């Protein structure tokens, strides 16, 4: 009798089971990798959307890691500091702070990244090859979901909003700076469109000095796809414009520019 043939059946069965388990494990790994790839794509889209929003804001905004190294900046920040936004990335923000203010600014950054809330102060900033600028500054902790910057490999720890003093020493209200920082920090994709626009409208009221109400329209004012409003005052203004077929909202939609008016 050939002893080598004894037990071949059970061995083949066990091999078949192992092979099936390996196939299942490979399929699970493939599904997990697809999920990871989708998260990466979603995160990249979020970063692009947030970057576009920040670039559109007319106030200087910067992101830094916990040590104050710049991980991102919008166009207004580049114009203020006389460097392009991409050139600012990787540079220590303290290089643009007057020497006499650096200790105080470092302390504010430490407080912000330690979770002690938004920090407000004024500081003298030193743009590249330009005169010193006195500005109001707010440093707010970055959203917890922020991960490492894909280029620098540094995690965003703080968002800086800078408001240079205007003519006659005009200053910015801390609530306005906080609202702008929060607007730039909104994470795309974490809520439905209507809820996200509700938040943007509320921040607009906080971020515009003297504003009592706000409305956001998505699409043409004649037949908007989505409308959100913060209250009856804004609803009344929308109704007037809709019935008349004209007004600042219509002008802004038609021209693609900001339109201001003292009265409807």
């Amino acid at each position: 009798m050939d002893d080598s043939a004894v037990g071949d059946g059970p061995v083949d069965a066990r091999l078949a089971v192992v092979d099936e388990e390996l196939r299942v494990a490979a399929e699970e790994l493939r599904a997990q990798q697809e999920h990871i790839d989708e998260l990466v794509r979603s995160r990249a889209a979020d970063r692009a959307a947030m970057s576009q929003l920040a670039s559109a804001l007319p106030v200087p905004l910067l992101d830094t890691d916990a040590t104050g190294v710049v991980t991102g900046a919008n166009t207004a920040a580049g114009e203020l500091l006389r460097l392009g936004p991409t050139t600012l990335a990787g540079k220590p923000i303290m290089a643009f702070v007057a020497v006499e203010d650096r200790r105080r600014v470092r302390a504010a950054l430490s407080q912000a990244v330690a979770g002690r809330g938004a920090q407000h102060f004024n500081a003298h900033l030193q743009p590249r090859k330009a005169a010193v600028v006195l500005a109001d500054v707010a440093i707010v902790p970055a959203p917890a979901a922020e991960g490492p910057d894909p280029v620098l490999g540094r995690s965003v720890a703080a968002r800086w909003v800078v408001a240079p003093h205007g003519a006659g020493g005009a200053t910015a209200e801390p609530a306005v700076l906080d609202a702008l920082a929060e607007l730039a920090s909104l994470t795309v994709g974490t809520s439905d469109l209507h809820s996200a626009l509700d938040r943007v409208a509320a921040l607009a009221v906080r971020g515009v000095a003297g504003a009592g109400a706000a409305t956001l329209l998505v699409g043409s004012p004649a037949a908007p796809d989505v409308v959100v409003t913060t209250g009856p005052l804004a609803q009344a203004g929308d109704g007037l414009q809709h019935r008349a077929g004209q007004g600042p909202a219509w002008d802004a939609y038609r021209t693609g520019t900001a339109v201001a008016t003292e009265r409807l």
Side-chain angles (χ1 to χ4, degrees):
M1 185 177 71
D2 186 357
D3 292 339
S4 64
V6 176
D8 282 353
V11 170
D12 289 343
R14 288 197 296 272
L15 288 175
V17 170
V18 171
D19 182 65
E20 181 62 25
E21 290 176 345
L22 289 174
R23 290 176 183 273
V24 171
E27 180 61 25
E28 290 177 347
L29 287 174
R30 185 191 64 78
Q32 290 176 3
Q33 186 60 52
E34 289 181 352
H35 180 62
I36 292 172
D37 292 344
E38 179 58 32
L39 290 176
V40 170
R41 287 192 292 269
S42 176
R43 184 62 186 148
D46 282 0
R47 284 185 183 276
M50 292 171 68
S51 176
Q52 184 177 14
L53 174 61
S55 295
L57 292 175
V59 296
L61 298 169
L62 301 103
D63 289 345
T64 70
D65 68 4
T67 68
V69 173
V70 177
T71 60
N74 69 350
T75 302
E79 292 173 349
L80 173 66
L81 300 177
R82 303 297 180 91
L83 283 177
T86 55
T87 306
L88 278 170
K91 289 183 168 52
I93 199 168
M94 294 304 162
F96 302 97
V97 177
V99 174
E100 64 270 20
D101 290 341
R102 287 179 184 173
R103 178 178 295 182
R104 186 161 50 86
V105 175
R106 285 195 186 96
L109 174 59
S110 297
Q111 292 289 312
V113 299
R116 295 186 173 89
Q119 304 295 308
H120 304 96
F121 54 90
N122 58 54
H124 294 85
L125 304 181
Q126 179 60 71
R128 186 64 58 90
K129 298 180 180 179
V132 171
V133 176
L134 180 61
D136 293 310
V137 181
I139 306 178
V140 299
E146 285 288 351
D149 180 271
V151 177
L152 300 177
R154 295 175 178 269
S155 292
V156 177
R159 296 240 154 88
W160 303 58
V161 183
V162 182
H165 285 196
T171 61
E173 291 292 331
V176 173
L177 297 179
D178 288 352
L180 290 170
E182 191 172 343
L183 179 62
S185 299
L186 286 176
T187 302
V188 180
T190 57
S191 59
D192 62 271
L193 178 61
H194 200 283
S195 296
L197 293 178
D198 277 338
R199 188 66 187 136
V200 172
L203 289 172
V205 175
R206 285 174 48 195
V208 178
T215 291
L216 291 179
L217 304 177
V218 177
S220 166
D225 299 318
V226 181
V227 180
V228 298
T229 180
T230 61
L233 179 61
Q235 290 175 343
D238 294 337
L240 287 173
Q241 295 182 80
H242 192 273
R243 287 192 293 274
Q246 61 180 337
W250 294 64
D251 294 341
Y253 179 77
R254 185 180 66 255
T255 63
T257 60
V259 175
T261 182
E262 294 184 359
R263 56 184 299 176
L264 289 175

